[in-house]
Amino acid sequence: MISLPRSIFIALLIVFSSTSVFSKIKIPLGEREVLNKVLDLPDTDEFKLKDGNFFDLATLHKEFNIAYLLPLYIIEEPKLVGFDEQTETFYDIPQNEIDAILASQKVNKEDLNKLPFYTKYGGKIVAILIIGLLIWGAIPSKKEKVEPTNI
C-alpha cells in the first residue's frame, strides 16, 4: 500500500506537470514605477509621519520591462521622494525640503539620485544577447559530407 503523503505527492506532480496549467501563465510586459530606498534617515521626530512611522529617502522612476526582471528602457528619470518602508508608500517632497534633508545628513544628491547599472544597461545587454542567440540558432550550419569507407 502506498503511503498517503507519497500518493498526494504523485497526484500533485501529475496535476502540475500538465502543460495546460502553464499555458495560462502570462508574462508581465509594460511600464511600471520602481521605488529604490537610497538613504535610511534616523528615526527622530524630524522624520516622523502622522501615523507614527518614520520615512526614508528613495528614488522613483518609470521603466518599461519584461517580467519585472528585464528593464529595457527608462521612461522617466529618477527623482528623490519620501518613502515609508512599512506601508510601502511614497510622498512627493518639495525640492527645497529634500535639499535641506540632504544637507542635514551631509549627503550629496548626485550620489543618491542615480540608477543602478543593471537597470540602466543590463536589460539592454541581456535582450541583445537573447536576440543574438536566436539569430545564431536560426542560421543553418554546414553539414559535413561523410564518405563511406570499405572494410
Side-chain angles (χ1 to χ4, degrees), residues 22-126:
F22 295 111
S23 67
K24 295 179 184 176
I25 296 175
K26 302 284 185 205
I27 296 175
L29 173 75
E31 66 179 56
R32 72 180 188 124
E33 290 183 334
V34 180
L35 275 170
N36 292 322
K37 183 177 168 183
V38 292
L39 182 62
D40 189 16
L41 296 172
D43 294 341
T44 60
D45 288 336
E46 182 182 2
F47 305 117
K48 193 172 192 176
L49 298 169
K50 290 179 184 176
D51 62 357
N53 294 337
F54 297 96
F55 77 91
D56 300 314
L57 289 181
T59 58
L60 173 71
H61 70 276
K62 275 189 182 178
E63 68 183 21
F64 184 87
N65 65 17
I66 299 172
Y68 304 120
L69 299 174
L70 193 63
L72 294 180
Y73 61 89
I74 305 302
I75 297 171
E76 282 183 19
E77 289 298 316
K79 66 177 182 175
L80 287 173
V81 293
F83 177 58
D84 183 5
E85 194 170 16
Q86 292 178 344
T87 60
E88 294 184 3
T89 56
F90 70 92
Y91 305 96
D92 281 327
I93 300 174
Q95 191 61 41
N96 57 355
E97 290 183 25
I98 288 179
D99 292 338
I101 292 171
L102 294 175
S104 70
Q105 299 300 311
K106 298 179 180 119
V107 178
N108 190 0
K109 181 179 178 180
E110 285 76 31
D111 293 340
L112 296 179
N113 198 17
K114 60 182 179 180
L115 295 172
F117 178 80
Y118 182 74
T119 303
K120 227 176 188 181
Y121 304 110
K124 294 173 186 73
I125 294 170
V126 171

